[in-house]
């Protein structure tokens, strides 16, 4: 099993550009989430999904969109990148009975 | 809103000593807690969890203690090893909901 795979690992964007961060898991987990990690602020939930076709907002959803067309994939879209979105982004998944998330290795995004 | 905080942002211990990492939470409705370990450049890794109907739970070299009276959580690592050097996060979940709230993390450095 590959676990949770995130691509790309690094990305630099210009302000106003859009892009999609990819996340895929091969563990047949129902729950998937996107977090951002900023220095001194821990991990904050952006969006999450409890199954294919179902998504919901987390703590800091503004500026991001998600979709969940399959169980395996949960892409995160930045609509118009802003410097405030410079962060490390983590995708995570879990089953509906085991609350311990499995995290991907992260995408480090810089918006200039 | 939720808040999960750590008492000490950094902790240095001698190899072989025991480590104690503390976490305070503010929401008395939280009923599930997880400790994660994050090594540099990697995603958080699940260490151990505990539900609010327990006071203590042990794993391999790790013990989590929960004091609901003062809303305090601690992670004890026995015989700390250099490989334990990492940032440790606690996370809380309220009533089996979908959102986990993470603390800001404690950086543990093990001195050989």
């Amino acid at each position: 099993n590959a676990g949770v795979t995130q691509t790309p690992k690094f990305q630099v964007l210009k302000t106003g550009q859009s892009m999609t961060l990819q996340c895929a898991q091969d563990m047949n987990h129902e729950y998937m989430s996107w977090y951002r990690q900023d220095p001194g602020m821990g991990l904050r939930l952006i969006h999450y999904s409890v199954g294919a076709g179902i998504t919901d907002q987390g703590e800091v959803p503004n500026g991001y969109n998600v979709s969940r067309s399959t169980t395996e994939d949960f892409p995160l879209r930045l609509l118009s990148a802003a410097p405030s979105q410079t962060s490390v982004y983590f995708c995570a998944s879990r089953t509906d009975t085991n609350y311990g998330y499995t995290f991907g290795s992260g995408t480090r995004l810089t918006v200039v | 809103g939720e808040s999960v905080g750590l008492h000490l942002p950094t902790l240095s211990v001698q190899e072989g000593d025991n480590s104690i990492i503390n976490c305070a939470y503010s929401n008395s409705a939280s009923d599930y807690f997880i400790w994660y370990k994050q090594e540099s450049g990697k995603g958080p890794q699940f260490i151990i969890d505990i539900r609010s109907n327990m006071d203590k739970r042990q794993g391999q070299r790790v013990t989590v203690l929960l004091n609901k009276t003062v809303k305090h959580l601690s992670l004890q690592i026995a015989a700390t090893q250099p490989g334990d050097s990492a940032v440790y996060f606690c996370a809380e979940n309220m009533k089996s909901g979908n959102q986990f709230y993470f603390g800001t993390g404690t950086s543990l450095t093990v001195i050989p």
Side-chain angles (χ1 to χ4, degrees), chain A residues 31 37 40 48 90 99 101 104, chain B residues 32 36 38 43 89 96 98 104:
Chain A
Y31 287 68
Q37 185 174 35
Y48 65 95
F90 288 100
Y99 286 80
Y101 272 104
Chain B
Y32 181 72
Y36 285 92
Q38 186 176 25
F89 295 93
S96 303
N98 294 312
T104 54

Side-chain angles (χ1 to χ4, degrees), chain A residues 31 33 35 37 40-43 45 48 50 57-59 90 94 97-101 103-106, chain B residues 2 32 34 36 38 41-46 49 51 89 93 96-105:
Chain A
Y31 287 68
S33 298
Y35 288 88
Q37 185 174 35
M41 299 190 72
L43 289 137
L45 181 65
Y48 65 95
V50 300
Q57 297 181 350
E59 202 178 343
F90 288 100
R94 67 174 177 88
T97 53
N98 181 349
Y99 286 80
Y101 272 104
F103 281 83
S105 57
Chain B
E2 304 283 337
Y32 181 72
I34 299 178
Y36 285 92
Q38 186 176 25
K42 297 183 179 180
Q45 178 183 8
F46 175 93
D49 60 356
R51 295 197 177 275
F89 295 93
N93 177 268
S96 303
N98 294 312
Q99 296 202 28
F100 278 86
Y101 296 91
F102 285 77
T104 54

Side-chain angles (χ1 to χ4, degrees), chain B residues 6-19:
Chain B
L6 293 169
H7 293 309
L8 296 173
T10 62
L11 178 65
S12 295
V13 299
Q14 290 289 139
E15 181 178 358
D17 287 352
N18 297 334
S19 303

Side-chain angles (χ1 to χ4, degrees), chain A residues 10-91:
Chain A
F10 301 94
Q11 183 70 48
V12 179
L13 288 179
K14 294 183 178 179
T15 297
Q17 286 185 317
S18 63
M19 79 158 294
T20 299
L21 307 185
Q22 301 292 343
C23 176
Q25 53 93 6
D26 61 359
M27 299 172 285
N28 201 32
H29 285 175
E30 295 88 349
Y31 287 68
M32 297 186 74
S33 298
W34 276 101
Y35 288 88
R36 61 177 288 173
Q37 185 174 35
D38 302 299
M41 299 190 72
L43 289 137
R44 292 182 292 167
L45 181 65
I46 304 171
H47 285 285
Y48 65 95
S49 169
V50 300
I54 305 169
T55 64
D56 206 345
Q57 297 181 350
E59 202 178 343
V60 288
N62 292 341
Y64 308 94
N65 275 354
V66 291
S67 60
R68 185 94 180 272
S69 57
T70 66
T71 300
E72 295 78 18
D73 300 299
F74 191 43
L76 177 72
R77 283 183 289 277
L78 279 71
L79 309 174
S80 178
S84 61
Q85 294 178 304
T86 294
S87 188
V88 180
Y89 291 85
F90 288 100
C91 179

Side-chain angles (χ1 to χ4, degrees), chain B residues 22-58:
Chain B
N22 296 304
C23 178
Y25 64 96
S26 60
N27 195 327
S28 57
S30 293
D31 66 347
Y32 181 72
F33 305 88
I34 299 178
W35 280 101
Y36 285 92
K37 172 186 180 183
Q38 186 176 25
E39 296 175 278
S40 181
K42 297 183 179 180
Q45 178 183 8
F46 175 93
I47 302 173
I48 191 168
D49 60 356
I50 188 168
R51 295 197 177 275
S52 59
N53 61 353
M54 302 173 70
D55 297 322
K56 178 180 179 179
R57 191 167 188 213
Q58 289 183 293

Side-chain angles (χ1 to χ4, degrees), chain B residues 56-71:
Chain B
K56 178 180 179 179
R57 191 167 188 213
Q58 289 183 293
Q60 187 176 13
R61 285 202 305 118
V62 294
T63 300
V64 55
L65 299 177
L66 176 62
N67 186 329
K68 294 179 287 294
T69 302
V70 295
K71 297 198 283 274

